[in-house]
Amino acid sequence: MKFFLVLVFVFTLSYADRDGGPYLGYGYGSSEYKSGGLYSSMKDEKAKAEYFYGGAYINKHLSVELGYVKLKDGGYKVNDTVSLNHTLYTVSTLAHYAFFDDIWDFYAKFGAGYAKSFGEQGFSFVYGAGTSVRFSELFSVKLAYDIYEFGFDETQNGSADYKQRIYYPYIGVEFQF
């Protein structure tokens, strides 16, 4: 069975039709923050977020992407006076799998980045998956789900005391040139 799946994957890769080249995109969605136990309760764990990104298709099945996530309306609310406004910068690799003469595309994303919030900053991971529909050689619409994972070092001992996550489903538009 594994051999059959590998064979199907190899044949599909050899017939895909996406050209390489740079792209820019914009995504908008609703994110959800999980503090990993840092806060026992929060007033609002959800916030609207924008995703600005750009990258390049290295070949039909691989792209590299730089991303920036910006929270809207002050971010997540711990209480009436304290809000968390995370800033996320990422570098990701995306593995693509195209269908229907390169019109419909599935991808998986994995990368690393930089997270900053409430004076704390540091390393983060990003992983996710999505699908896009290409309307022309230059324009596509995507539906994606990303997860950002980072730690918070409350004791300042160099290791993360709380494993935090941001779940971010979004819809986006992408322009390839």
Side-chain angles (χ1 to χ4, degrees):
M1 181 66 175
K2 289 180 186 178
F3 177 75
F4 177 73
L5 291 175
V6 169
L7 191 62
V8 168
F9 182 72
V10 168
F11 279 115
T12 304
L13 289 180
S14 64
Y15 288 107
D17 195 34
R18 183 178 302 253
D19 293 330
Y23 62 89
L24 292 174
Y26 170 80
Y28 187 82
S30 179
S31 64
E32 184 175 359
Y33 170 71
K34 296 296 180 186
S35 70
L38 180 61
Y39 300 103
S40 59
S41 66
M42 292 185 63
K43 183 175 182 180
D44 193 0
E45 295 179 336
K46 296 185 183 218
K48 300 292 183 193
E50 294 178 305
Y51 180 46
F52 300 94
Y53 63 97
Y57 288 99
I58 295 171
N59 59 36
K60 297 174 188 176
H61 317 290
L62 186 67
S63 65
V64 178
E65 186 172 286
L66 299 173
Y68 167 70
V69 176
K70 177 183 178 184
L71 297 179
K72 304 290 284 174
D73 302 324
Y76 311 109
K77 303 206 180 341
V78 177
N79 54 40
D80 288 333
T81 59
V82 177
S83 292
L84 306 175
N85 200 354
H86 293 83
T87 303
L88 303 161
Y89 301 93
T90 60
V91 177
S92 305
T93 301
L94 287 76
H96 300 269
Y97 189 79
F99 290 97
F100 305 114
D101 198 23
D102 200 33
I103 293 173
W104 191 14
D105 177 50
F106 286 100
Y107 69 87
K109 175 194 274 191
F110 181 75
Y114 173 81
K116 182 177 179 184
S117 182
F118 47 88
E120 184 78 13
Q121 55 195 5
F123 185 75
S124 69
F125 287 107
V126 60
Y127 44 94
T131 185
S132 67
V133 176
R134 187 174 286 267
F135 291 98
S136 72
E137 290 184 18
L138 303 175
F139 176 72
S140 63
V141 174
K142 74 182 338 182
L143 182 62
Y145 189 86
D146 291 348
I147 299 171
Y148 300 89
E149 191 172 283
F150 49 95
F152 178 69
D153 184 12
E154 186 176 46
T155 58
Q156 302 295 317
N157 63 358
S159 67
D161 299 315
Y162 300 98
K163 188 177 186 179
Q164 302 172 69
R165 286 189 174 132
I166 295 176
Y167 299 94
Y168 182 41
Y170 64 93
I171 188 165
V173 293
E174 187 174 293
F175 300 94
Q176 185 178 354
F177 44 99

